Amino acid sequence: MIKFRNVTKKYTKDNYALKNVNLDILSGEFVFIIGASGAGKSTLMKLLYNEEHPTSGSVTIGGINIANLSNDKIPNLRRCMGIVFQDYKLLQNKTVYDNVAYVIRTLGISSKEINARVTGALKIVGLFNKKHALPSELSGGEQQRVGIARAIVNGPPLLIADEPTGNLDPKNSMEIMQILDQINQRGITVIVSTHDNAIVNHFRKRVITLDKGGIVRDIQAGTYE
Ligand SMILES: Nc1ncnc2c1ncn2[C@@H]1O[C@H](COP(=O)(O)OP(=O)(O)OP(=O)(O)O)[C@@H](O)[C@H]1O
Ligand SMILES: [Mg+2]
């Protein structure tokens, strides 16, 4: 599903954020990306959701090289993936329901269909009973569950989460990761970056370790080390 071929990313002249990365991720996989601060985890993810472009090399998703996608094609690409952020990025003046519905309201689908999809997504993350709450009335773990519902409401084949539990305590972190695991079991490819060794050791998924912009370890059913 995803292929990185000789991908290098430099933000400045001599600083390699990613250096000659080659990587294949198959449809349906669950992958942890780990590595020290500055190793290149967020950069790898930003290349996938096209917030950054590689300096050289190619990134393909489903056979399409997204490395040099023109700006007008990016919305189409983003519709094929859900993105979850460490800081949730919720709209503070909108309810849980409206945060999840916001993007799909622009797609020209009926309000009945919108309601069905939002309800389905909120039930997957266990927050349907809080659909009228504002983000400020939710715990961090609940806010992240809204972020996940928003990411999956459009039924994307791919979910990308950059340190989704970075602001959460161990209990909430585990709950969030369990939700991501359940989403993966529905057939969605899930890529998660994390610093949380307890979580990586608990789930025993594929673990890819970055160090100074390069992949130094890539193992199935791995641990944090
Ligand atoms: N917008 C930018 N401009 C310049 N340099 C950047 C930019 N974004 C990242 N970098 C540099 O690229 C390298 C990789 O950064 P990246 O954010 O991908 O690391 P990370 O593994 O996500 O780190 P963390 O665990 O702290 O989130 C670092 O050296 C960082 O300073
Ligand atoms: Mg990062």
Side-chain angles (χ1 to χ4, degrees):
M1 178 186 212
I2 293 166
K3 290 186 203 294
F4 282 68
R5 288 292 176 269
N6 304 315
V7 173
T8 289
K9 173 66 182 179
K10 291 199 259 184
Y11 291 99
T12 55
K13 207 160 144 268
D14 301 313
N15 187 0
Y16 287 88
L18 289 177
K19 199 169 184 179
N20 204 29
V21 166
N22 287 288
L23 173 64
D24 285 274
I25 295 175
L26 303 178
S27 185
E29 277 197 282
F30 188 120
V31 182
F32 282 122
I33 311 283
I34 67 171
S37 187
K41 304 180 296 297
S42 294
T43 300
L44 189 147
M45 296 185 147
K46 284 176 184 170
L47 294 180
L48 279 174
Y49 60 83
N50 230 269
E51 185 163 314
E52 297 288 350
H53 302 291
T55 307
S56 60
S58 68
V59 179
T60 60
I61 301 182
I64 297 164
N65 186 355
I66 62 161
N68 296 302
L69 216 57
S70 59
N71 283 340
D72 60 319
K73 299 265 166 56
I74 291 174
N76 269 334
L77 175 80
R78 294 267 174 91
R79 249 168 249 146
C80 299
M81 57 178 70
I83 310 169
V84 175
F85 303 95
Q86 176 173 354
D87 58 358
Y88 326 130
K89 296 202 193 301
L90 302 180
L91 300 165
Q92 294 301 319
N93 59 348
K94 292 196 184 297
T95 63
V96 165
Y97 186 98
D98 286 339
N99 264 280
V100 178
Y102 189 70
V103 169
I104 58 170
R105 283 195 175 123
T106 65
L107 299 181
I109 46 185
S110 70
S111 54
K112 194 171 162 220
E113 175 68 15
I114 289 170
N115 189 43
R117 289 196 201 177
V118 174
T119 300
L122 285 175
K123 284 187 172 164
I124 287 171
V125 301
L127 266 192
F128 185 66
N129 61 340
K130 298 226 169 164
K131 64 179 175 170
H132 297 305
L134 289 168
S136 58
E137 296 164 338
L138 302 176
S139 72
E142 289 170 335
Q143 290 186 55
Q144 189 57 295
R145 287 195 265 154
V146 179
I148 294 170
R150 179 186 55 194
I152 61 171
V153 69
N154 203 25
L158 171 63
L159 187 68
I160 299 169
D162 193 359
E163 294 195 46
T165 64
N167 294 353
L168 302 177
D169 65 22
K171 180 171 170 285
N172 276 296
S173 296
M174 192 59 81
E175 283 171 14
I176 289 297
M177 219 50 87
Q178 257 144 8
I179 290 169
L180 294 179
D181 192 29
Q182 282 158 17
I183 288 168
N184 174 247
Q185 280 163 27
R186 292 167 177 262
I188 297 174
T189 308
V190 175
I191 305 175
V192 184
S193 80
T194 184
H195 286 282
D196 190 329
N197 51 358
I199 286 214
V200 173
N201 292 341
H202 176 84
F203 283 92
R204 297 291 169 120
K205 304 292 189 182
R206 180 178 176 190
V207 180
I208 295 171
T209 310
L210 288 172
D211 184 31
K212 299 182 187 76
I215 294 177
V216 292
R217 181 167 166 262
D218 180 355
I219 48 173
Q220 300 292 334
T223 56
Y224 199 86
E225 192 173 58

